[in-house]
Amino acid sequence: MKKFLLLFALILATALSGAAKKPTKSQQAMQQFRYELECAGNGVQGTYLVRVWTYDKKQKEAQAACARNAVHGVIFKGFAGGDGCIGQKALVPTPGAEMEYEEFFNLFFSDKGEYRKYVSIVAGSELCEKVGREYRAGAIVSIQKDDLRKALEAAGIIKGLNYGF
């Protein structure tokens, strides 16, 4: 019986200490990126035209995150094609790159971050709706993928297209 109680106390203490841990900054940042990304047509040379859907409990936060999440998706997820669109792979295909370059991406995706230089929302394409207990905001976004790729190359996160030649 003593062994059982000791084992129970040990399991309980382990569970409580694990539950009490606060998420790290990188885990919190990863939780901020709740979105869906889809092709919205063919953009001009050097750009992607995508529709982004962002989810948040606050309407203004969801709307404000659309541009940031679209850039995040192009960098780390890519998007599927369809309806005459060609799908694209992520600019950073390396798993774990977001954690490896955590300091860079925390600054890059901050409220006044550099990501803003590579994205613009198409006028009149924004919409927002309440879905359950949260808001779903959407917009069509143009992303300057060539300039974004050059910035990631300059930061040493990805290799240039002519690497190895």
Side-chain angles (χ1 to χ4, degrees):
M1 185 67 169
K2 284 184 179 180
K3 288 182 181 178
F4 176 75
L5 288 175
L6 182 62
L7 181 61
F8 179 75
L10 182 62
I11 292 172
L12 182 63
T14 303
L16 289 176
S17 68
K21 287 184 181 175
K22 189 176 180 180
T24 64
K25 280 187 178 182
S26 61
Q27 289 169 333
Q28 290 173 348
M30 294 289 286
Q31 293 169 356
Q32 292 176 15
F33 295 105
R34 283 191 50 227
Y35 61 89
E36 298 168 14
L37 198 61
E38 58 192 42
C39 185
N42 296 315
V44 297
Q45 182 72 26
T47 67
Y48 291 144
L49 194 60
V50 296
R51 176 174 291 283
V52 62
W53 296 102
T54 299
Y55 302 88
D56 201 295
K57 292 186 185 231
K58 297 178 181 174
Q59 181 177 1
K60 286 185 179 183
E61 306 256 336
Q63 291 171 321
C66 281
R68 181 194 69 202
N69 289 346
V71 173
H72 186 273
V74 166
I75 292 174
F76 295 109
K77 291 184 177 183
F79 53 92
D83 294 331
C85 292
I86 299 172
Q88 299 295 327
K89 293 181 180 179
L91 291 178
V92 179
T94 312
E98 189 169 8
M99 293 302 190
E100 184 179 345
Y101 299 101
E102 179 180 9
E103 188 175 319
F104 172 84
F105 286 116
N106 283 344
L107 286 172
F108 187 83
F109 287 114
S110 66
D111 289 341
K112 305 246 185 221
E114 189 177 339
Y115 79 90
R116 297 166 46 141
K117 294 192 313 189
Y118 308 104
V119 63
S120 60
I121 294 176
V122 175
S125 70
E126 297 175 277
L127 55 99
C128 190
E129 60 191 12
K130 184 144 175 117
V131 179
R133 293 183 173 180
E134 61 185 3
Y135 290 90
R136 178 182 186 226
I140 296 176
V141 178
S142 176
I143 298 174
Q144 298 171 11
K145 59 125 176 154
D146 288 351
D147 294 339
L148 180 57
R149 171 178 276 288
K150 287 176 188 172
L152 294 172
E153 288 173 4
I157 295 169
I158 58 175
K159 293 181 172 81
L161 293 174
N162 59 1
Y163 177 77
F165 288 105

